[in-house]
Amino acid sequence: MTRPDPAFLDVRPILAAGGEPFDDILRAVAALAPGQALRLVASFKPVPLFAALARKGFVHSERPLTGDDWEVLFTPAATVPSEEPATAPAAGDAQAWPAPARALDNRGLSPPEPMVRILETLATMAAGEVLEALNDRDPIFLYPELAKRGHAHRTEPRIVAEGGKAFQILILAGGAAAVSS
Amino acid sequence: MAHFAAAIACFLLAQALMAAGFCYPLHPLQAPETLAVVHLLTIGWLSTLLFGALYQFVPVITGAALPSRNLPLVALLSIQLGLFGMLAGFLGPLYGFNSARFCLPAGGMLVSLGFALGAGLLLVTLLRARPLGLPARFIAAGQIFLLLTFALGFCFSLALAIPGLPDWLTDLPGHALWVHALAGLAGWFTLTAMGVAYRLLSMFMLAPERDHSRRGRWSFRLAAGGIALTAAGGLWLTATQQRWALPLAGLIAGAGALLYLAEMRGLYRARQRRALELNSRAAAAAFAALALSLALLAGLAATRHLAAHAGTLGLLVMFGWLSGLGLSQLYKIIPFLTWLERYGSKLGHGRVPRVQDLVDERRAAPWFVLYGLAVALAVAADLADLSRLVQIAFAVQLLASLALSREFWRARHAAPERSPTLPRKLAGAP
């Protein structure tokens, strides 16, 4: 993948201060390199923005974070990989991240061992690197801890080779820390 | 944790009263003393324990947050306050206070409000997370039976307290008391415990999750459907119709429970973790108690001794199956949540103890064994009508429960990072 990493903008501090982030978002969009995506975090689902940026040629995929927060990835329509199945909206997003620098297979470990291994590995990684983990279960208790430490994550169910079900978790070290902390 | 502390306190108090000979089997099943202890156990212990566990567990299995963080505490206060109102209502008249008239309906009202609030929070969370997985379906059905249980209970309190009500309401306690008990013990407690155990066991024994198991789905349909049919038959059929309808509905529910037990056996067999932790071993004993309860129910029904020995069956279900499973899972949940609270934020920043470092299984295991033996003795003695022996068994059961509560307290307050071994002397049990 030679596509540039997505730019990141967290408008929660602006919203919390009672401000109107629309101009900041347009500025961030204008500053994107060709083919570059924008990851936006807001304290509500920014539905009006979807149409506004669609007119500028961006498709979006959104997902809820903890609390009322939402993360939306705006990708320039031309760069959306068309071979991706339509049922995996987050895949385009994860594709925009760098290839995983580290991989952990946490299958066959009982809770909370997967969480221990993921957080210990993340502590040794540089910001901007991606950790790929394969877990037997969706690690619900891990997510608040990732958010607290400013890491972004994507989780997807996967059918693994042996026929069993697993969850693939991609974690972008420092991926949510840029503005919020 | 407030839920667990309140629940354990009620559990210990109820067993102390039982050991002191305050209630059944020295008093009849429907004596005010027995009713007080039964409600201390069902509302104070099991309902509070299950709600405390469900508020944690439902978000985990559905991936959806509860609509409110504070309302569970409001519900807990309302339930506990109402429970003590109900106890005053049951017991007051024995000591010359005319408390039944006010305290029973008022306490029942507070308990009902707390239950409605708690059930509302959980049902809204479950509804948002549709389609529901198998464990969540058990839990949702359990909530429906909870609503039926307290609706009936509240009607009883009105019927007992207020004269001049319509006949159908005044007659209700006479013919629907067992429906109230069935909806509570089999519907609310058993179905919920089944759902929670489904996921907790597969999680901690590393067995594959069985959300799509056909046997699991049929166990749910038959168990929940059978209990619903039995309750409906008890409320609306005539005595002659009940004679053939109730055994049939009971058979359906029993078949569901048997399928569920087969599922659990499958989970234990398919586990990847060879050495079982104490919580899973103690849970296996609780499943054995569920199997024995089914056998006892079938035996008593076939020999027409069900009415005479309903109390024995109640003891086995309450203490062997439900409380046994509750204690076994508390032994995992308390250290797990404590560990998460205390060490979650320290992971990756240096050495952190393991969850199992918060407990000492070798110290706790004999108390689980003693608890199980005491319950078995109580049930056997009650079946043989040896009331005094039952009382002795209750005392042993209380002792084991106290010791286990002390283990929970130790897990909650353990500081393994400060000492290479667990500290020996910690303040006494709650």
Side-chain angles (χ1 to χ4, degrees), chain B residues 155 183 306:
Chain B
C155 289
L306 190 52

Side-chain angles (χ1 to χ4, degrees), chain B residues 167-411:
Chain B
D167 281 351
W168 69 267
L169 199 55
T170 18
D171 293 347
L172 203 58
H175 76 264
L177 190 62
W178 69 267
V179 180
H180 174 65
L182 171 95
L185 287 176
W188 155 225
F189 297 139
T190 295
L191 288 179
T192 308
M194 282 174 162
V196 174
Y198 229 120
R199 183 55 60 87
L200 276 187
L201 284 178
S202 67
M203 207 150 80
F204 289 118
M205 294 196 303
L206 296 173
E209 275 169 18
R210 304 186 55 86
D211 268 22
H212 302 289
S213 142
R214 252 171 104 189
R215 186 170 60 186
R217 282 191 212 167
W218 275 106
S219 82
F220 168 72
R221 288 174 195 147
L222 293 175
I227 299 167
L229 287 176
T230 317
L235 288 177
W236 289 299
L237 293 185
T238 63
T240 348
Q241 291 167 322
Q242 283 181 3
R243 212 162 294 152
W244 61 266
L246 293 187
L248 191 66
L251 275 179
I252 295 173
L258 284 178
L259 282 180
Y260 176 81
L261 285 169
E263 275 288 287
M264 291 299 108
R265 189 154 153 258
L267 274 188
Y268 275 86
R269 292 210 162 160
R271 73 179 191 269
Q272 290 167 30
R273 166 175 280 199
R274 286 310 257 318
L276 281 177
E277 288 177 339
L278 183 54
N279 53 298
S280 305
R281 277 181 279 151
F287 292 124
L290 174 60
L292 276 178
S293 306
L294 292 171
L296 183 62
L297 171 64
L300 290 176
T303 56
R304 303 193 183 277
H305 281 90
L306 190 52
H309 277 291
T312 319
L313 183 63
L315 283 181
L316 184 55
V317 171
M318 165 64 69
F319 293 104
W321 156 235
L322 296 168
S323 302
L325 189 75
L327 290 171
S328 77
Q329 296 313 299
L330 276 177
Y331 192 70
K332 189 72 195 182
I333 298 171
I334 291 178
F336 189 86
L337 292 177
T338 303
W339 179 91
L340 206 61
E341 244 171 58
R342 193 136 14 116
Y343 303 113
S345 60
K346 295 186 182 148
L347 289 174
H349 306 313
R351 269 182 63 85
V352 160
R354 298 169 312 138
V355 176
Q356 286 307 93
D357 291 337
L358 301 185
V359 294
D360 183 346
E361 290 199 353
R362 280 173 60 189
R363 196 179 53 205
W367 296 115
F368 274 108
V369 173
L370 187 68
Y371 176 84
L373 290 176
V375 173
L377 177 65
V379 171
D382 195 49
L383 207 53
D385 290 322
L386 302 169
S387 303
R388 285 292 164 194
L389 190 57
V390 177
Q391 204 186 334
I392 293 170
F394 285 164
V396 180
Q397 205 181 294
L398 171 66
L399 176 73
S401 304
L402 276 168
L404 287 173
S405 308
R406 190 164 134 102
E407 293 304 311
F408 300 148
W409 197 91
R410 281 171 155 163

Side-chain angles (χ1 to χ4, degrees), chain A residues 107-113 115-116 119-120 123 136-138 140-141 145 148-149 165 167, chain B residues 60 63 202-204 206-207 209 272-273 336-337 339-340 344-350 355:
Chain A
R107 287 172 300 160
L109 295 175
S110 80
E113 208 49 44
M115 172 174 177
V116 174
L119 291 175
E120 282 179 348
D136 285 321
R137 294 174 181 81
D138 197 5
I140 303 287
F141 289 119
E145 203 50 51
K148 234 190 281 173
R149 296 170 188 219
K165 198 177 78 176
F167 288 85
Chain B
V60 171
S202 67
M203 207 150 80
F204 289 118
L206 296 173
E209 275 169 18
Q272 290 167 30
R273 166 175 280 199
F336 189 86
L337 292 177
W339 179 91
L340 206 61
S345 60
K346 295 186 182 148
L347 289 174
H349 306 313
V355 176

